[in-house]
Amino acid sequence: MLTKLKKLEAAAQQALDSCADADALEALRVQYLGKKGELTALLKELQSVDADQRPVVGAEANRIKVELGEAIRAKTESMDRQRRQQQLESDSIEDVTLPSGLIMPGAIHPLTQVTHRIVEIFHGLGYAVADGPQIETDYYNFSALNFPDNHPARDMQDTFFVENGLLLRTHTSPVQIHVMERRRPPLKIIVPGAVYRHDDDITHSPIFYQVEGLAVDESITMADLKGTLRRFVVEMFGDNTPMRLRPSFFPFTEPSAEVDMGCPNCCGKAKAKGCRLCGDSGWLEILGAGMVDPAVLENVDYDPERYQGFAFGIGVERIAMILYGIDDIRLFYDGALPFLEQFA
Amino acid sequence: MKLSFAWLQELVELTVVDPEEIANRLTMAGVEVSGIVCRQDMGDSVVVASILEIAPHPNADRLSLCKVSDGKQIYEIVCGATNMQVGDRVAFAKIGSRLANGIKIKKSKIRGVVSEGMLCSETELAIGEESSGIIVLDSAAPLGQPVRDCLALNDTVFDIDVTPNRGDCLSVLGIARELVALGCGRPKYNDVEARLRRDYAKVVFAASTTGEVPVTVKEPQLCPRYMLLRFDITDMPATPMWMVQRLVQCGLRPINLVVDVTNYVLLELGQPLHAFDFEKVAGGEVVVRRGQKRGEKITALDEVEYVLGPEHLLICDKSKPLCIAGVMGGLDSAVQQTTRKVLLESAHFDPATIRHSSRQLGLSSESSYRFERRVDPQAPPLALARAVSLLAACASVEVVGRAVDYHQAGSTKPVSLNLRLGRYEKLIGHKVAAATARQILTSLGFAVVGKHKDPLKLEVPSWRGDVSREIDLIEEIARIEGYGDMAATLPTTPPDDEVETSRDRLMPQIRSYLSGQGFYELYGFSFLSAKELEMLGRKEAMQILNPLGQDFALLRPSLVPNLLKAFTHNFNHYRQYRAQRLFEVGRTFAKAATGSPIERRCLAALAWQANEPAWQGAIKPAADFFWMKGVLTGLLQQLTHHTIDFVRNDEELYPFLHPGGGAEIRLDGKPLGCLGRMHPEYLPEGCEEPVTLFEIDLERLYSLRQQVSRWRPFSRYPVVERDLAVVVDRQVSATQLAGEIRKVGGALLGNGNAVRLVDQYMGKPIPNGKKSLAFRILYQAADRTLRDSEVDRLFSRTLKQLETRFGATLRS
Ligand SMILES: [Zn+2]
């Protein structure tokens, strides 16, 4: 019996070594360890063995059963591992530098990006966004803003006229009037939008964008205007950007100011001649501002002895041209992909 | 406005002499100096020389040989000009000198003759635009003196941008006053003025009253002051070189002595003058009146004929207009070289009237520019005196009679104002001392009335028409103090009530979604042409009355033409782009039946993909109808939960779309926009692939109430899957069938993905005119596991329903 077991173990070991795949291993397991397998059959013969021999033979048979089962399982596992390994190898990407077939993102227009930044700065300062029509009446665009009829101040803004006595707004300031007619102080609003002037050259476009600001309350001062604009310039162009206010004239503000920032190109060292951006002045005009003229407040039935405030108008193209170093305003409007794709 | 520094120094004794610093002070006080030109560069080797001899050039008809002397030496020069005579003093550039235009003079042979220098024209000295002849200098110019000194070419010229409210700054005198107020110097103009007033009395009033010209002012409101002086001039000598020089520097052309003097006074004092040839004044009388209703004609100095009516103020003689008041004189009565009897006008006109005339006639002049911006009503006598004194110094002038001075009563009464110092502080944010306010205002010419300190009572100087309210005084103090020292604070006003509700959340979402899908945002003009309007199939659009051109004559009712224009531009010019995806969000405009025009925010997008090989691993977006539909549907799903439908464009509501390739987009059953292939007719040549686009009206989306849709419980029971393939007529749409399947399925097909089209097939063995559509249907109950038998019953009911409704048959 022991001889038979030894023979069986040797034969099984040989068969195991020659097994090449999972199917052969399974067949082997069935052949020896299955219900009708050879080892099972031998174990059934154990009854016929002498009683004194039985424990020894039994132990031997069990050892073979356990060891063979273990060997088959181990070989199965190793073959599985190998197969998975081969699978992974055959799945590998050889050239990871090949392009993706997905469409790459496009881009949001630089004027949108700049407008968004401006609006966010003022939103952070507690300004609400307001909007108004682009086709306006003479009253809202001019008269209510203290532009007298037949006054040369109107020449500052060459106007497109539209049928029915209407016009295309020349600035976002008419929205000041619409909002003040609708609301009472205090108010702080910001108005981004398109405006139109009868102009077309390298520095002027017949349509361009402004962001108008208006704050009216009982004690808003010109110093508050200066501080607000200072905050804007710092957030837009960085901490150390110089800024100056210089007296100017707009019919709807008084006192009025032009606001200049230090030229980022020559850093204000204007004596180093040849700065094309600022023409060697060291300063760039970026916006107009001032205290709301009492006549404007009266036009919307605000008492100018009680209420006061400031207004400003930022040229979006101007800011974008400085930020990105663009020298031709028309690039913003002709939709050329080589331009647009640079703002992704 | 151009301003001579030397001239300025005649009226103010400057303590600040650096032109850059002067420019800076003016700019920081609101009188912006936009440029400074120095002419000191020209060396001293361009000198005054006298012509000794002129002989023809031996080898060239058009050239001559001149012998000139600089007082020390004689030079032989080849010259192309013909305007000189023996004895003339000329500007002679020696060998080695450098001209203002950068040319360096070298010894050279011209047609075989050596030229030892050059005789200069105005352009070569950069003092004028005359280049056809050489410049002939004053006969008293000393030989050998550098021309630079003789013509005062070492002057500095400022370019000043005067804001429209500051008409008083449009003169040398005006700028001199500003500089005095800014503490840059002491006034000399008061002495000049006093001397002139003295001369004026001597020259004008001393004459006898005989020969006074009758003047009738019929419009005293439009012409509150009118002065007229008659004088005889025995001959008309050349205008002195120094005067010509200053006129040219300031951009005016010299004409003749009398006209030049009027222009000189205009530049110096800001008061326009006009001179008439008295012999052309019919009846010897002057009437200031409006034009006649039936229209009158005048040929002005620019040799253009203008038709005048009642809106124009005219200076007339007995029978005809002589001059468009304040704008331009008539050609016929203009003073010429031969004129001997002159009428000199110095008047004050209503600014609005002059501006209206000037704009209505499309005619502007140095005079109208100043009158529009208001001239000092006190200036006419001073200007007249200045003109007479200048003329008397240059020519033999005899005043005839005395000056007529018409003058509306009360028109020159000064304006008084109060200034509360507390008001200044409340508005500007810091205190101003009474003494400072007083000092600044008096330096600007305001007169303090009384001894009261607060409020200060002030009289406004006659030349400051822009100051009529307290706020104007506050501005004057703030601007002279300068904005530089002002504090920078933030308002204490709390955030605006509308700060959150006013935020636009739609546009940022649209822009980021579309740019994520590969689209580039563009900004177009709001204009379009009649041809583009026709393409859109629209009959009407708002018209621009003064467009930049016919391509920009209308306001766009759609964003499509701009997109197409940009696409075509890129397609034709930037061939390296083999795909284009563009979008714009912007306003469109339309006429309204009544009331204000309609402005709507819209979105339009366009896509095109060149048909060319892509590498094997690439996912190829076809940019076709269904790709674009996917982009749009994805966007709309993000923006709204309302129902979106697509309906074939059979009505041809959108004629710019391919007749068989367009759809109307509907939101809750009402039109929202269109989607489709662009009609090939409008595509650029060579564009074979489809261009697809959509346009939607964003106002509809804005008008929907933003609401959060509530969470719905979902089923946790298994799904039973069935495939259904039916054959139907081709006009039956997949959406119709899917809708019917859902209807029969009821709650068991409640999930959004429960009915999915998996295939559409036409061709053999499906009969002509029919198509096969295959759906995968996923049945699921909310509360139990479905039994197959239950689903089988539903499935056969579905099939029966499709048979009755659409004549569908099960595909075997
Ligand atoms: Zn610079």
Side-chain angles (χ1 to χ4, degrees):
Chain A
M1 187 69 179
L2 276 174
T3 330
K4 268 188 187 168
L5 279 171
K6 282 235 150 50
K7 248 170 100 180
L8 182 137
E9 188 181 9
Q13 189 60 50
Q14 204 180 358
L16 181 65
D17 289 347
S18 65
C19 272
D21 57 30
D23 290 349
L25 273 171
E26 177 61 14
L28 184 75
R29 194 189 60 79
V30 172
Q31 186 190 340
Y32 288 98
L33 303 176
K35 277 182 186 160
K36 290 173 185 168
E38 289 177 29
L39 186 61
T40 321
L42 266 181
L43 280 171
K44 277 178 189 155
E45 285 174 32
L46 202 58
Q47 305 296 336
S48 57
V49 177
D50 293 344
D52 56 337
Q53 289 280 316
R54 212 178 285 161
V56 180
V57 175
E60 182 66 4
N62 257 326
R63 183 191 60 82
I64 293 171
K65 186 180 174 183
V66 169
E67 282 186 10
L68 185 59
E70 191 54 41
I72 291 171
R73 196 162 52 247
K75 179 139 190 187
T76 311
E77 260 174 35
S78 121
M79 280 172 66
D80 261 3
R81 242 191 335 270
Q82 220 175 340
R83 193 175 42 76
R84 279 200 301 270
Q85 193 59 38
Q86 275 166 4
Q87 179 74 43
L88 286 176
E89 272 164 28
S90 73
D91 278 353
S92 78
I93 299 165
E94 268 170 48
D95 183 356
V96 295
T97 67
L98 284 176
S100 155
L102 278 180
I103 296 176
M104 288 295 112
I108 294 175
H109 197 277
L111 293 180
T112 303
Q113 296 189 32
V114 170
T115 307
H116 184 74
R117 271 179 76 177
I118 298 171
V119 170
E120 282 301 300
I121 290 170
F122 286 100
H123 190 259
L125 292 170
Y127 286 68
V129 180
D131 196 10
Q134 294 180 6
I135 301 176
E136 270 295 1
T137 60
D138 183 275
Y139 178 75
Y140 283 100
N141 197 74
F142 290 124
S143 306
L145 290 162
N146 198 31
F147 283 81
D149 278 350
N150 265 321
H151 191 278
R154 291 194 173 206
D155 295 347
M156 295 162 88
Q157 308 194 348
D158 263 339
T159 311
F160 280 110
F161 295 98
V162 176
E163 54 188 304
N164 301 331
L166 299 168
L167 49 83
L168 294 178
R169 67 177 181 195
T170 56
H171 45 182
T172 38
S173 309
V175 182
Q176 288 186 20
I177 305 297
H178 289 294
V179 171
M180 288 193 286
E181 280 180 346
R182 180 167 65 80
R183 299 178 51 189
R184 303 294 300 173
L187 52 88
K188 294 203 288 188
I189 57 157
I190 197 95
V191 186
V195 302
Y196 302 83
R197 305 249 174 113
H198 202 274
D199 252 336
D200 194 11
D201 61 44
I202 189 163
T203 50
H204 297 93
S205 166
I207 174 168
F208 58 98
Y209 289 78
Q210 283 186 338
V211 178
E212 182 91 6
L214 173 73
V216 181
D217 198 351
E218 293 188 355
S219 58
I220 292 177
T221 65
M222 189 145 178
D224 290 337
L225 169 63
K226 191 172 172 183
T228 301
L229 295 174
R230 172 85 224 140
R231 180 74 168 265
F232 162 70
V233 168
V234 163
E235 292 206 22
M236 199 77 201
F237 296 101
D239 276 343
N240 300 317
T241 313
M243 179 194 95
R244 71 175 189 186
L245 263 60
R246 102 189 117 71
S248 188
F249 167 73
F250 306 107
F252 44 103
T253 53
E254 186 156 349
S256 301
E258 293 273 11
V259 180
D260 300 336
M261 63 177 266
C263 172
N265 193 30
C266 62
C267 306
K269 294 178 195 92
K271 298 298 170 212
K273 294 279 177 194
C275 179
R276 279 183 60 203
L277 191 54
C278 65
D280 290 332
S281 72
W283 294 99
L284 296 173
E285 204 174 295
I286 51 170
L287 60 96
M291 299 302 289
V292 181
D293 195 290
V296 174
L297 296 173
E298 276 168 15
N299 286 338
V300 295
D301 279 332
Y302 285 8
D303 176 6
E305 287 288 311
R306 179 170 172 203
Y307 294 116
Q308 60 188 51
F310 59 71
F312 55 84
I314 303 170
V316 179
E317 282 82 355
R318 182 80 180 137
I319 303 291
M321 288 168 95
I322 295 170
L323 270 181
Y324 301 113
I326 295 166
D327 57 2
D328 183 347
I329 197 170
R330 292 172 294 199
L331 284 168
F332 291 118
Y333 302 102
D334 66 6
L337 279 168
F339 175 76
L340 297 176
E341 71 177 1
Q342 297 182 33
F343 300 91
Chain B
M1 179 185 70
K2 298 241 190 314
L3 180 83
S4 149
F5 193 38
W7 200 344
L8 190 61
Q9 282 166 304
E10 286 178 13
L11 295 183
V12 57
E13 192 183 326
L14 291 172
T15 48
V16 177
V17 289
D18 176 21
E20 297 261 356
E21 182 54 24
I22 294 280
N24 185 48
R25 297 268 189 111
L26 285 171
T27 298
M28 293 311 287
V31 182
E32 188 182 355
V33 177
S34 57
I36 305 176
V37 180
C38 304
R39 289 230 180 72
Q40 288 164 328
D41 321 89
M42 195 166 53
D44 50 14
S45 52
V46 181
V47 298
V48 179
S50 161
I51 298 182
L52 305 176
E53 208 180 297
I54 303 174
H57 190 291
N59 307 325
D61 292 346
R62 298 199 173 177
L63 298 175
S64 49
L65 292 183
C66 298
K67 277 209 173 81
V68 303
S69 162
D70 65 351
K72 289 180 206 145
Q73 211 182 322
I74 293 172
Y75 302 84
E76 199 169 60
I77 290 142
V78 179
C79 183
T82 54
N83 66 320
M84 65 283 186
Q85 293 172 355
V86 172
D88 280 350
R89 301 274 151 118
V90 294
F92 165 49
K94 292 188 194 169
I95 306 290
S97 55
R98 187 180 288 278
L99 300 180
N101 55 12
I103 292 173
K104 199 172 173 187
I105 304 298
K106 286 181 260 179
K107 191 167 187 169
S108 59
K109 255 189 189 175
I110 299 167
R111 294 284 188 108
V113 179
V114 172
S115 183
E116 297 174 296
M118 176 177 170
L119 302 184
C120 303
S121 70
E122 284 181 8
T123 33
E124 282 142 359
L125 298 179
I127 55 167
E129 42 201 35
E130 186 63 53
S131 62
S132 63
I134 60 168
I135 188 164
V136 177
L137 302 169
D138 202 273
S139 58
L143 290 182
Q145 188 192 34
V147 169
R148 180 191 63 191
D149 298 338
C150 153
L151 287 181
L153 288 185
N154 48 359
D155 197 1
T156 295
V157 177
F158 296 108
D159 217 328
I160 302 185
D161 295 343
V162 177
T163 53
N165 57 327
R166 292 300 303 274
D168 66 297
C169 282
L170 292 170
S171 63
V172 185
L173 175 62
I175 301 297
R177 284 183 183 133
E178 281 291 299
L179 286 170
V180 168
L182 289 169
C184 296
R186 279 180 299 277
K188 288 204 262 181
Y189 45 78
N190 290 338
D191 308 342
V192 176
E193 213 176 301
R195 201 180 65 234
L196 279 177
R197 288 199 189 282
R198 216 168 47 234
D199 293 351
Y200 170 73
K202 202 168 73 196
V203 172
V204 181
F205 285 116
S208 80
T209 53
T210 53
E212 188 180 287
V213 180
V215 171
T216 317
V217 176
K218 293 198 166 161
E219 299 290 342
Q221 293 299 326
L222 309 187
C223 175
R225 187 158 199 179
Y226 196 85
M227 297 188 73
L228 203 56
L229 179 72
R230 212 200 112 184
F231 64 84
D232 291 345
I233 187 163
T234 43
D235 68 343
M236 189 82 74
T239 307
M241 194 53 77
W242 61 267
M243 190 182 287
V244 168
Q245 171 59 24
R246 284 198 173 159
L247 294 176
V248 169
Q249 263 183 345
C250 297
L252 296 184
R253 290 185 68 80
I255 313 272
N256 59 49
L257 180 66
V258 170
V259 176
D260 292 348
V261 163
T262 62
N263 283 332
Y264 190 87
V265 172
L266 169 138
L267 293 173
E268 187 174 67
L269 304 178
Q271 169 69 50
L273 300 174
H274 186 71
F276 303 91
D277 183 339
F278 181 58
E279 296 193 85
K280 301 286 174 58
V281 177
E285 62 171 300
V286 168
V287 183
V288 182
R289 61 163 170 89
R290 289 174 185 270
Q292 289 160 350
K293 276 211 182 76
R294 59 181 157 83
E296 295 172 84
K297 286 180 184 162
I298 189 171
T299 302
L301 285 169
D302 63 353
E303 297 181 23
V304 175
E305 189 180 78
Y306 296 91
V307 180
L308 309 167
E311 71 268 40
H312 306 114
L313 185 68
L314 308 178
I315 313 300
C316 307
D317 62 15
K318 222 173 116 193
S319 56
K320 62 179 185 300
L322 299 170
C323 177
I324 308 161
V327 181
M328 196 172 277
L331 188 61
D332 182 55
S333 61
V335 169
Q336 292 167 10
Q337 196 60 35
T338 52
T339 304
R340 292 294 170 265
K341 293 179 192 302
V342 181
L343 272 186
L344 190 58
E345 165 201 286
S346 184
H348 185 74
F349 298 116
D350 167 51
T353 306
I354 302 306
R355 180 178 148 84
H356 180 81
S357 280
S358 162
R359 283 182 67 88
Q360 201 269 331
L361 298 170
L363 177 64
S364 70
S365 63
E366 293 284 339
S367 292
S368 68
Y369 190 79
R370 283 170 177 76
F371 278 125
E372 277 178 24
R373 284 159 179 74
R374 190 182 178 275
V375 172
D376 181 358
Q378 304 279 37
L382 194 69
L384 209 52
R386 178 64 172 145
V388 172
S389 80
L390 284 167
L391 283 165
C394 305
S396 165
V397 169
E398 195 187 334
V399 173
V400 181
R402 64 173 190 179
V404 180
D405 186 359
Y406 168 83
H407 177 167
Q408 195 201 2
S411 64
T412 51
K413 200 168 162 260
V415 176
S416 335
L417 293 174
N418 284 338
L419 170 68
R420 294 165 294 173
L421 298 174
R423 187 77 195 144
Y424 179 92
E425 184 187 353
K426 183 164 187 258
L427 211 63
I428 305 297
H430 64 249
K431 275 191 167 52
V432 63
T436 312
R438 209 184 160 96
Q439 186 273 322
I440 287 174
L441 291 170
T442 44
S443 75
L444 282 164
F446 290 82
V448 177
V449 183
K451 291 222 154 73
H452 213 284
K453 273 192 175 165
D454 190 8
L456 269 177
K457 193 169 173 151
L458 297 142
E459 260 177 18
V460 180
S462 60
W463 59 88
R464 290 302 300 270
D466 59 318
V467 178
S468 61
R469 306 169 297 171
E470 184 182 42
I471 185 73
D472 303 322
L473 296 171
I474 291 173
E475 179 180 51
E476 287 304 298
I477 298 169
R479 115 185 139 81
I480 298 295
E481 277 214 305
Y483 294 170
D485 294 334
M486 198 180 285
T489 52
L490 286 175
T492 50
T493 307
D496 194 281
D497 291 342
E498 298 184 357
V499 77
E500 276 310 316
T501 53
S502 67
R503 275 197 122 171
D504 179 357
R505 289 163 211 277
L506 210 54
M507 294 276 190
Q509 212 177 343
I510 291 171
R511 287 178 165 125
S512 68
Y513 172 86
L514 284 174
S515 66
Q517 299 289 330
F519 285 77
Y520 288 93
E521 184 185 15
L522 55 87
Y523 275 47
F525 287 174
S526 304
F527 312 127
L528 86 175
S529 65
K531 222 176 117 191
E532 287 166 318
L533 188 71
E534 197 189 313
M535 173 188 91
L536 291 170
R538 309 276 182 111
K539 295 214 166 53
E540 267 199 333
M542 292 290 292
Q543 248 172 346
I544 295 175
L545 303 179
N546 56 336
L548 282 174
Q550 283 316 302
D551 285 351
F552 304 114
L554 302 165
L555 282 173
R556 63 180 179 185
S558 156
L559 306 179
V560 169
N562 270 336
L563 276 183
L564 188 64
K565 209 184 266 175
F567 166 73
T568 306
H569 179 72
N570 283 311
F571 185 87
N572 289 335
H573 292 92
Y574 308 111
R575 292 256 166 184
Q576 68 269 35
Y577 295 93
R578 307 309 291 148
Q580 285 194 49
R581 285 175 285 274
L582 306 168
F583 77 99
E584 180 174 4
V585 276
R587 286 204 205 185
T588 61
F589 306 87
K591 283 189 186 182
T594 55
S596 315
I598 300 157
E599 297 183 27
R600 302 186 79 89
R601 286 165 288 187
C602 287
L603 159 69
L606 171 152
W608 162 81
Q609 173 95 34
N611 189 11
E612 61 175 28
W615 75 282
Q616 280 193 326
I619 302 156
K620 205 172 153 196
D624 66 359
F625 180 90
F626 289 102
W627 184 83
M628 204 59 167
K629 185 182 173 187
V631 169
L632 175 62
T633 312
L635 175 65
L636 290 172
Q637 260 172 23
Q638 287 195 0
L639 301 180
T640 176
H641 298 298
H642 288 244
T643 318
I644 302 290
D645 296 306
F646 293 86
V647 183
R648 263 181 65 107
N649 175 31
D650 288 330
E651 313 272 310
E652 300 221 9
L653 290 171
Y654 307 100
F656 51 97
L657 295 179
H658 188 295
E664 182 166 270
I665 309 156
R666 292 188 184 163
L667 172 77
D668 295 336
K670 283 191 219 125
L672 178 70
C674 66
L675 161 74
R677 278 179 66 174
M678 192 74 201
H679 198 300
E681 192 184 318
Y682 303 115
L683 297 182
E685 205 166 310
C687 178
E688 305 292 343
E689 304 84 359
V691 170
T692 50
L693 56 86
F694 65 77
E695 180 170 42
I696 58 170
D697 175 7
L698 295 178
E699 295 302 332
R700 296 247 359 249
L701 295 176
Y702 275 106
S703 69
L704 299 177
R705 214 154 52 88
Q706 288 295 315
Q707 62 185 82
V708 178
S709 60
R710 295 183 65 90
W711 176 81
R712 268 188 332 237
F714 54 89
S715 166
R716 290 163 202 270
Y717 294 91
V719 160
V720 180
E721 204 175 283
R722 288 286 185 276
D723 281 342
L724 171 68
V726 289
V727 176
V728 287
D729 285 346
R730 272 164 85 158
Q731 52 270 38
V732 177
S733 80
T735 309
Q736 285 173 302
L737 290 180
E740 203 59 36
I741 296 169
R742 277 178 177 284
K743 223 159 96 189
V744 179
L748 299 187
L749 294 177
N751 193 309
N753 301 317
V755 183
R756 249 170 39 223
L757 180 71
V758 289
D759 186 43
Q760 166 177 284
Y761 178 76
M762 282 167 265
K764 277 181 184 164
I766 309 295
N768 264 351
K770 302 252 179 199
K771 65 183 171 187
S772 152
L773 292 170
F775 295 91
R776 175 150 300 169
I777 311 171
L778 306 175
Y779 294 100
Q780 192 183 28
D783 51 355
R784 64 190 194 283
T785 302
L786 287 173
R787 283 187 316 256
D788 274 351
S789 57
E790 192 180 352
V791 172
D792 286 343
R793 273 202 307 280
L794 211 50
F795 189 76
S796 46
R797 245 178 52 216
T798 302
L799 189 59
K800 197 161 285 164
Q801 185 66 14
L802 294 185
E803 268 173 36
T804 20
R805 289 286 319 267
F806 303 107
T809 53
L810 192 66
R811 191 180 171 196
S812 41

